């Protein structure tokens, strides 16, 4: 089968790999119909995540048709079209039982700090991902969800990660009516978080980034304010001024470890790798939020450490909330938002590219060529 | 002196201020008390270990399922085995893994050549997309590289004279 194959930082190719096998009684093999490149795939692509091995297939945002099932699978049958949450969850460990499907204790032997994730390095379990014609899906009775028959496949694929992660970012922010919400990052997650924030009733939603075409997209798609930090000189000062010198009620970090905007963070985090990427967005979030405010983190940071102003978290009484999205928990509500027409995830897709052109697809997304917001690979 | 677990429920005031509504992780976490009965769950059937799987030493063994992509091999594999002897808290876990990743890239190129495949770095880096969407940038980069090369060659040849 054709699959994306990681060869090293900034080097991927599409090539033939063996068809995946059922390796556990509750596995299924899925024929992939759509697979996205996620912003967090770029951290792998750029060589930022430890234990990213040559030969792995990336891809944790995918949907497909069930091709084969293991002997213990009860809830799905061959031919079902399913959306596959990006996190692999057993459904029975103490974390899954309490809805923390992104923190499963039975899906990643290689690290205790993160649950299993499809195609996301060996630090997240060493699974091959969905940027392929076929993928092995463990715990078939727990994670995969049948796609409603009237749902557009492009909407469905964005429900595997982008929408749940963005929505949970807002949920963790505890946004209240009248709040000012600041979102750092105008990538797919940041744009979607800006759109989802309105479900919680804020008065202002502000997006901060430095890519002008993405800020324009955010303004149009999410009906929010959007500012270029390169023209602000000091984004923290700007945000204090625009909130009557109090600070935002809620700040969301939707950037993670490759943030720009602070030379020291860039030098130590992205170039010298003395910390796990740049912590600029999180630093700004902590320093821009009001006293007693909430900082919600969905940006991806690799292990082991980052330089952020912990003292300000303590002295300002900030509540810091973070997690991988619990996709399975959120799906019923989000499917309803999509089916009712309140949310149209597919509108953020700008590029549909054949899997065989995966090298170009990664470069387009990584280098932000052709005004790219979101790339979908079609096997 | 050895630490002994006390009968905590007899400590004066134990639990009197507990507020079950104070659950800051809700709705992310639907607290059920399962954290305190954490060994009581029935594990899913265990996936057979068909390839070498390294596991964090912060857990007693493998999880019920795991990925079998790219098992450790060669020099990078040996470094990874060393890394996994140390906990996720230690730099001596993560730094060797990053080193192994870089060595693994070279191993990948050697493997490709052994199989008779010369890696096409330009194609793998998606340069066609650069040419299509950022031709001006590519030309600027090429000119800069050519200029630097010319300067270096001139300096070196001047020195030789």
């Amino acid at each position: 089968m054709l699959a994306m194959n990681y060869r090293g930082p900034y080097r991927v190719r599409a090539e033939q790999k063996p068809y995946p096998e059922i390796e556990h009684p509750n596995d299924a093999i899925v024929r992939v119909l759509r697979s996205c490149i996620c912003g967090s795939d770029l951290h792998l692509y750029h060589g930022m995540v430890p234990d990213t091995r040559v030969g792995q297939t990336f891809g944790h945002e995918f949907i497909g048709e069930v091709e084969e099932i293991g002997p213990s699978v009860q809830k799905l049958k061959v031919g079902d079209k399913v959306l596959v949450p990006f996190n692999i969850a057993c459904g029975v460990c103490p974390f899954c039982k309490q809805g923390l499907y992104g923190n499963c204790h039975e899906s990643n032997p290689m690290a205790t700090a993160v649950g299993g994730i499809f195609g996301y390095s060996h630090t997240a379990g060493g699974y091959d991902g969905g940027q392929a014609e076929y993928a092995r899906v463990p715990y078939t009775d727990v994670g995969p969800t049948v796609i409603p028959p009237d749902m557009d496949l492009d909407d469905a694929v964005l429900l595997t990660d982008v929408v749940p992660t963005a929505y949970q970012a807002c949920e963790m922010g505890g946004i209240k009516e009248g709040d000012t919400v600041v979102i750092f990052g105008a990538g797919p997650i940041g744009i979607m978080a800006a759109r989802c924030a309105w479900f919680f009733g804020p008065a202002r939603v502000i997006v901060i980034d430095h890519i002008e075409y993405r800020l324009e997209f955010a303004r149009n798609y999410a009906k929010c304010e959007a500012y270029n930090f390169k023209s602000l000189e000091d984004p923290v000062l700007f945000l204090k001024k625009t909130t009557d010198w109090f600070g935002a009620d809620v700040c969301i970090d939707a950037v993670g470890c490759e943030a720009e905007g602070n030379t020291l963070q860039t030098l130590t985090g992205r170039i010298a790798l003395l910390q796990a990427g740049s912590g600029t967005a999180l630093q700004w979030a902590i320093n821009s939020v009001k006293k007693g405010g909430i900082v919600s983190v969905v940006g991806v940071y690799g292990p082991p450490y980052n330089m952020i102003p912990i003292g300000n978290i303590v002295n300002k009484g900030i509540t810091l909330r973070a997690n991988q999205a619990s996709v399975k928990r959120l799906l019923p509500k989000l499917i309803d938002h999509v089916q009712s027409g309140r949310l149209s995830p597919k509108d953020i897709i700008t590029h549909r590219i054949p899997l065989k052109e995966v090298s170009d697809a990664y470069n387009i997304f990584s280098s932000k060529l052709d005004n790219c917001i979101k790339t979908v690979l079609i096997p | 002196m050895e630490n002994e677990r006390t009968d905590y429920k007899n400590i004066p005031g134990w639990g009197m201020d507990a507020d079950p509504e104070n659950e800051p992780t809700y709705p992310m976490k639907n607290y059920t008390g399962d954290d305190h009965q954490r060994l009581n769950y029935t594990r899913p059937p265990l996936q057979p270990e068909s390839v070498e799987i390294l596991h964090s030493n912060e857990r007693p063994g493998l999880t019920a399922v795991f990925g079998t992509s790219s098992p450790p091999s060669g020099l990078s594999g040996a470094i990874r085995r060393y890394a996994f002897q140390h906990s996720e808290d230690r730099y001596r876990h993560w730094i060797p893994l990053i080193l192994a990743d870089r060595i693994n890239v070279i191993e990948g190129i050697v493997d490709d050549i052994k199989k008779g495949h010369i890696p096409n770095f330009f194609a793998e880096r998606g340069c066609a997309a650069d040419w299509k969407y950022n031709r001006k940038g590519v030309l600027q980069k090429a000119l800069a590289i050519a200029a630097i090369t010319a300067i270096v060659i001139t300096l070196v040849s001047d020195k030789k004279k």
Side-chain angles (χ1 to χ4, degrees), chain A residues 150-164:
Chain A
D150 56 341
M151 181 174 277
D152 191 308
L153 295 183
D154 285 347
D155 280 330
V157 74
L158 293 173
L159 287 170
T160 61
D161 181 356
V162 175
V163 182

PDB file of all heavy atoms in Angstrom, chain A residues 150-164:
ATOM      1  N   ASP A 150     -25.338  11.648   6.523  1.00  0.00           N
ATOM      2  CA  ASP A 150     -25.479  12.911   5.793  1.00  0.00           C
ATOM      3  C   ASP A 150     -24.307  13.854   6.023  1.00  0.00           C
ATOM      4  O   ASP A 150     -24.339  15.011   5.590  1.00  0.00           O
ATOM      5  CB  ASP A 150     -26.784  13.615   6.207  1.00  0.00           C
ATOM      6  CG  ASP A 150     -26.859  13.832   7.706  1.00  0.00           C
ATOM      7  OD1 ASP A 150     -26.109  13.146   8.444  1.00  0.00           O
ATOM      8  OD2 ASP A 150     -27.654  14.678   8.147  1.00  0.00           O
ATOM      9  N   MET A 151     -23.280  13.379   6.691  1.00  0.00           N
ATOM     10  CA  MET A 151     -22.159  14.283   6.997  1.00  0.00           C
ATOM     11  C   MET A 151     -21.114  14.267   5.891  1.00  0.00           C
ATOM     12  O   MET A 151     -20.723  13.205   5.401  1.00  0.00           O
ATOM     13  CB  MET A 151     -21.508  13.894   8.333  1.00  0.00           C
ATOM     14  CG  MET A 151     -20.358  14.821   8.708  1.00  0.00           C
ATOM     15  SD  MET A 151     -19.681  14.497  10.331  1.00  0.00           S
ATOM     16  CE  MET A 151     -20.829  15.397  11.354  1.00  0.00           C
ATOM     17  N   ASP A 152     -20.666  15.457   5.513  1.00  0.00           N
ATOM     18  CA  ASP A 152     -19.597  15.596   4.525  1.00  0.00           C
ATOM     19  C   ASP A 152     -18.308  14.998   5.088  1.00  0.00           C
ATOM     20  O   ASP A 152     -17.957  15.242   6.250  1.00  0.00           O
ATOM     21  CB  ASP A 152     -19.413  17.098   4.241  1.00  0.00           C
ATOM     22  CG  ASP A 152     -18.512  17.353   3.040  1.00  0.00           C
ATOM     23  OD1 ASP A 152     -17.398  16.799   3.016  1.00  0.00           O
ATOM     24  OD2 ASP A 152     -18.934  18.103   2.148  1.00  0.00           O
ATOM     25  N   LEU A 153     -17.601  14.237   4.281  1.00  0.00           N
ATOM     26  CA  LEU A 153     -16.371  13.594   4.757  1.00  0.00           C
ATOM     27  C   LEU A 153     -15.318  14.624   5.167  1.00  0.00           C
ATOM     28  O   LEU A 153     -14.514  14.374   6.064  1.00  0.00           O
ATOM     29  CB  LEU A 153     -15.804  12.653   3.685  1.00  0.00           C
ATOM     30  CG  LEU A 153     -16.665  11.440   3.330  1.00  0.00           C
ATOM     31  CD1 LEU A 153     -15.949  10.556   2.317  1.00  0.00           C
ATOM     32  CD2 LEU A 153     -17.038  10.627   4.555  1.00  0.00           C
ATOM     33  N   ASP A 154     -15.322  15.771   4.511  1.00  0.00           N
ATOM     34  CA  ASP A 154     -14.364  16.820   4.884  1.00  0.00           C
ATOM     35  C   ASP A 154     -14.680  17.388   6.269  1.00  0.00           C
ATOM     36  O   ASP A 154     -13.776  17.763   7.021  1.00  0.00           O
ATOM     37  CB  ASP A 154     -14.353  17.946   3.842  1.00  0.00           C
ATOM     38  CG  ASP A 154     -13.636  17.542   2.562  1.00  0.00           C
ATOM     39  OD1 ASP A 154     -12.945  16.505   2.578  1.00  0.00           O
ATOM     40  OD2 ASP A 154     -13.767  18.261   1.559  1.00  0.00           O
ATOM     41  N   ASP A 155     -15.960  17.472   6.611  1.00  0.00           N
ATOM     42  CA  ASP A 155     -16.315  17.868   7.977  1.00  0.00           C
ATOM     43  C   ASP A 155     -15.901  16.778   8.958  1.00  0.00           C
ATOM     44  O   ASP A 155     -15.366  17.059  10.030  1.00  0.00           O
ATOM     45  CB  ASP A 155     -17.829  18.099   8.094  1.00  0.00           C
ATOM     46  CG  ASP A 155     -18.262  19.463   7.552  1.00  0.00           C
ATOM     47  OD1 ASP A 155     -17.455  20.405   7.621  1.00  0.00           O
ATOM     48  OD2 ASP A 155     -19.397  19.563   7.067  1.00  0.00           O
ATOM     49  N   ALA A 156     -16.162  15.540   8.576  1.00  0.00           N
ATOM     50  CA  ALA A 156     -15.890  14.414   9.481  1.00  0.00           C
ATOM     51  C   ALA A 156     -14.411  14.342   9.849  1.00  0.00           C
ATOM     52  O   ALA A 156     -14.055  14.125  11.015  1.00  0.00           O
ATOM     53  CB  ALA A 156     -16.348  13.104   8.834  1.00  0.00           C
ATOM     54  N   VAL A 157     -13.533  14.527   8.864  1.00  0.00           N
ATOM     55  CA  VAL A 157     -12.099  14.359   9.158  1.00  0.00           C
ATOM     56  C   VAL A 157     -11.622  15.444  10.129  1.00  0.00           C
ATOM     57  O   VAL A 157     -10.699  15.209  10.931  1.00  0.00           O
ATOM     58  CB  VAL A 157     -11.260  14.318   7.866  1.00  0.00           C
ATOM     59  CG1 VAL A 157     -11.122  15.680   7.208  1.00  0.00           C
ATOM     60  CG2 VAL A 157      -9.882  13.730   8.144  1.00  0.00           C
ATOM     61  N   LEU A 158     -12.282  16.592  10.106  1.00  0.00           N
ATOM     62  CA  LEU A 158     -11.858  17.652  11.029  1.00  0.00           C
ATOM     63  C   LEU A 158     -12.417  17.446  12.438  1.00  0.00           C
ATOM     64  O   LEU A 158     -12.025  18.137  13.374  1.00  0.00           O
ATOM     65  CB  LEU A 158     -12.249  19.016  10.479  1.00  0.00           C
ATOM     66  CG  LEU A 158     -11.480  19.369   9.195  1.00  0.00           C
ATOM     67  CD1 LEU A 158     -12.013  20.655   8.570  1.00  0.00           C
ATOM     68  CD2 LEU A 158      -9.990  19.511   9.456  1.00  0.00           C
ATOM     69  N   LEU A 159     -13.322  16.475  12.578  1.00  0.00           N
ATOM     70  CA  LEU A 159     -13.819  16.140  13.915  1.00  0.00           C
ATOM     71  C   LEU A 159     -12.912  15.148  14.635  1.00  0.00           C
ATOM     72  O   LEU A 159     -13.164  14.779  15.770  1.00  0.00           O
ATOM     73  CB  LEU A 159     -15.241  15.566  13.822  1.00  0.00           C
ATOM     74  CG  LEU A 159     -16.334  16.588  13.506  1.00  0.00           C
ATOM     75  CD1 LEU A 159     -17.652  15.891  13.185  1.00  0.00           C
ATOM     76  CD2 LEU A 159     -16.519  17.544  14.681  1.00  0.00           C
ATOM     77  N   THR A 160     -11.863  14.684  13.967  1.00  0.00           N
ATOM     78  CA  THR A 160     -10.963  13.728  14.621  1.00  0.00           C
ATOM     79  C   THR A 160      -9.959  14.431  15.530  1.00  0.00           C
ATOM     80  O   THR A 160      -9.361  13.804  16.395  1.00  0.00           O
ATOM     81  CB  THR A 160     -10.188  12.891  13.582  1.00  0.00           C
ATOM     82  OG1 THR A 160      -9.396  13.781  12.771  1.00  0.00           O
ATOM     83  CG2 THR A 160     -11.126  12.101  12.688  1.00  0.00           C
ATOM     84  N   ASP A 161      -9.730  15.730  15.305  1.00  0.00           N
ATOM     85  CA  ASP A 161      -8.751  16.454  16.122  1.00  0.00           C
ATOM     86  C   ASP A 161      -9.016  17.960  16.152  1.00  0.00           C
ATOM     87  O   ASP A 161      -9.239  18.525  17.225  1.00  0.00           O
ATOM     88  CB  ASP A 161      -7.326  16.189  15.587  1.00  0.00           C
ATOM     89  CG  ASP A 161      -6.246  16.894  16.395  1.00  0.00           C
ATOM     90  OD1 ASP A 161      -6.575  17.647  17.314  1.00  0.00           O
ATOM     91  OD2 ASP A 161      -5.051  16.695  16.100  1.00  0.00           O
ATOM     92  N   VAL A 162      -9.042  18.595  15.000  1.00  0.00           N
ATOM     93  CA  VAL A 162      -9.060  20.068  14.960  1.00  0.00           C
ATOM     94  C   VAL A 162     -10.211  20.645  15.794  1.00  0.00           C
ATOM     95  O   VAL A 162      -9.998  21.476  16.692  1.00  0.00           O
ATOM     96  CB  VAL A 162      -9.172  20.588  13.504  1.00  0.00           C
ATOM     97  CG1 VAL A 162      -9.308  22.100  13.485  1.00  0.00           C
ATOM     98  CG2 VAL A 162      -7.957  20.163  12.701  1.00  0.00           C
ATOM     99  N   VAL A 163     -11.427  20.196  15.504  1.00  0.00           N
ATOM    100  CA  VAL A 163     -12.580  20.794  16.185  1.00  0.00           C
ATOM    101  C   VAL A 163     -12.595  20.419  17.674  1.00  0.00           C
ATOM    102  O   VAL A 163     -12.728  21.313  18.528  1.00  0.00           O
ATOM    103  CB  VAL A 163     -13.906  20.410  15.478  1.00  0.00           C
ATOM    104  CG1 VAL A 163     -15.075  21.090  16.169  1.00  0.00           C
ATOM    105  CG2 VAL A 163     -13.869  20.816  14.012  1.00  0.00           C
ATOM    106  N   PRO A 164     -12.417  19.136  18.026  1.00  0.00           N
ATOM    107  CA  PRO A 164     -12.401  18.824  19.467  1.00  0.00           C
ATOM    108  C   PRO A 164     -11.293  19.538  20.226  1.00  0.00           C
ATOM    109  O   PRO A 164     -11.507  20.013  21.344  1.00  0.00           O
ATOM    110  CB  PRO A 164     -12.187  17.304  19.508  1.00  0.00           C
ATOM    111  CG  PRO A 164     -12.584  16.798  18.173  1.00  0.00           C
ATOM    112  CD  PRO A 164     -12.326  17.906  17.208  1.00  0.00           C
TER     113      PRO A 164
END
